[in-house]
Amino acid sequence: MTQSKIDPRGPRFGATITSVLMLVVLFLALDASTYQVAVWLIAINTAFFAIGASLGNAKHPYGLIFKGLIRPLLQAPKELEDSRPPKFAQLIGFILSSLALVFGLLGSDFQLGLIICASGIFFAAFLNSAFNYCVGCQIWLALARSNLIKV
Amino acid sequence: MPLDQRILALAGLVLMASFIGFVLISKSGKARRIKNGEQVDLSEIRATKGGNPVTKFGEKVTLLQFSSDFCSSCKQTSILLESIEKAHQGLLHIDLDIAERLDLAKTFSILTTPTILILNSRGEVVSRIVGAPKLATIEAEIERLVNK
């Protein structure tokens, strides 16, 4: 496995956008008249997570925004971090977002499913953004400990 | 759903997430003292250091760190503990990759990485730190063991 390094502020910047986006999604999903818009946003969000989970955070649209617009304004990072943890977090996000999309496409009877999944993404993104707390690491360890994933 | 109810629901969600965040942060990196801690068995740990097997505890203190690949703060913690090891006499730092040693994760109930067990000269667990610690936290624990 290649050990690439990234600026840790990149994924955190992305998580900030994601958490705001999830609040917008939830706001729209809670009203029947705007439910479809929420489903569209979830679809876009799922596509973004798919890019992050397969190509890494640097190729993610938010990662590109960070690199192009934000990073030139900041000082050089104090340290770089392993690119794998945030990439794993993108995979978790992709799974949750896909589930939310499936619920969304099944119609408004499945509103609760969409809301639970979107809330889950919000929690993870918010904890990363505001508290620098990596939910993905904990999930990975829990899965590894219960022998659900091969390490 | 009416506008004000939706806004209330979202505000509740943000509050809940903030609360969880503060609880997680407040526990993270703090040392928890352990009375009558278990004796660590080096032959069970089978740790290596610089390619050689570790057969002895640190003369005064051993910092037993559990790390994992998918953990960005583990590397920073390793660097911190290595620098502390260099600065003190009789201090040993061991870094274990949980991914390779899931049996140890079960033995020591490691739920989060990094987790650091601080052992006395006899290899008994005296404190446990979950999450990346600050230099001062570790120094305080070392002081307690060295000046006993």
Side-chain angles (χ1 to χ4, degrees):
Chain A
M1 202 186 268
T2 51
Q3 283 249 27
S4 57
K5 299 273 176 185
I6 54 169
D7 187 335
R9 295 168 298 184
R12 233 179 135 178
F13 170 76
T16 309
I17 303 183
T18 303
S19 55
V20 173
L21 183 68
M22 282 306 114
L23 284 181
V24 174
V25 164
L26 288 166
F27 182 79
L28 297 174
L30 284 171
D31 196 86
S33 64
T34 50
Y35 189 69
Q36 283 310 312
V37 187
V39 176
W40 273 106
L41 284 177
I42 280 285
I44 296 167
N45 187 60
T46 308
F48 283 0
F49 271 135
I51 298 170
S54 56
L55 302 175
N57 299 61
K59 300 275 189 330
H60 189 290
Y62 303 157
L64 295 175
I65 296 175
F66 176 76
K67 197 179 164 198
L69 297 176
I70 312 294
R71 196 171 169 181
L73 304 174
L74 303 173
Q75 292 187 324
K78 271 191 238 134
E79 61 230 335
L80 298 177
E81 78 170 340
D82 193 326
S83 65
R84 289 173 294 172
K87 197 176 166 188
F88 182 78
Q90 288 283 314
L91 179 67
I92 304 251
F94 173 71
I95 294 167
L96 268 179
S97 193
S98 304
L99 265 175
L101 182 60
V102 169
F103 284 125
L105 293 175
L106 284 173
S108 49
D109 290 347
F110 294 87
Q111 185 195 31
L112 187 64
L114 184 146
I115 284 170
I116 290 171
C117 291
S119 302
I121 301 169
F122 168 75
F123 269 101
F126 183 81
L127 288 178
N128 187 356
S129 165
F131 296 95
N132 204 10
Y133 185 87
C134 168
V135 179
C137 312
Q138 314 303 332
I139 296 174
W140 179 83
L141 193 59
L143 290 176
R145 273 193 51 165
S146 44
N147 300 324
L148 286 174
I149 52 171
K150 274 258 184 218
V151 289
Chain B
M1 198 188 269
L3 184 67
D4 53 345
Q5 280 182 26
R6 281 195 279 171
I7 290 172
L8 260 177
L10 293 189
L13 195 70
V14 174
L15 263 176
M16 207 153 79
S18 306
F19 178 72
I20 293 173
F22 278 118
V23 170
L24 290 172
I25 288 288
S26 67
K27 295 229 172 107
S28 177
K30 298 262 167 30
R32 189 162 59 82
R33 303 270 157 86
I34 292 173
K35 274 190 191 142
N36 308 319
E38 62 186 304
Q39 166 88 47
V40 173
D41 183 359
L42 277 177
S43 64
E44 189 199 351
I45 303 260
R46 297 199 308 275
T48 56
K49 179 129 182 127
N52 302 314
V54 177
T55 52
K56 272 196 293 191
F57 292 110
E59 243 171 80
K60 288 174 183 149
V61 187
T62 302
L63 305 173
L64 183 57
Q65 179 187 346
F66 295 89
S67 304
S68 66
D69 267 354
F70 287 96
C71 159
S72 55
S73 54
C74 288
K75 186 77 198 147
Q76 291 155 259
T77 302
S78 294
I79 294 168
L80 176 71
L81 297 190
E82 266 163 37
S83 71
I84 295 174
E85 181 187 42
K86 284 204 184 86
H88 289 80
Q89 285 274 315
L91 196 149
L92 177 72
H93 168 226
I94 303 174
D95 196 357
L96 290 168
D97 189 343
I98 278 301
E100 290 165 14
R101 298 300 307 276
L102 286 172
D103 56 320
L104 292 182
K106 291 194 177 83
T107 307
F108 294 104
S109 313
I110 310 293
L111 289 169
T112 302
T113 54
T115 290
I116 300 142
L117 300 179
I118 299 178
L119 316 180
N120 63 16
S121 55
R122 294 183 297 278
E124 293 157 356
V125 180
V126 291
S127 8
R128 184 183 177 105
I129 301 175
V130 177
K134 290 199 166 59
L135 174 64
T137 309
I138 302 276
E139 292 282 5
E141 295 303 302
I142 293 173
E143 189 114 333
R144 208 167 65 89
L145 283 174
V146 171
N147 295 341
K148 225 171 27 187

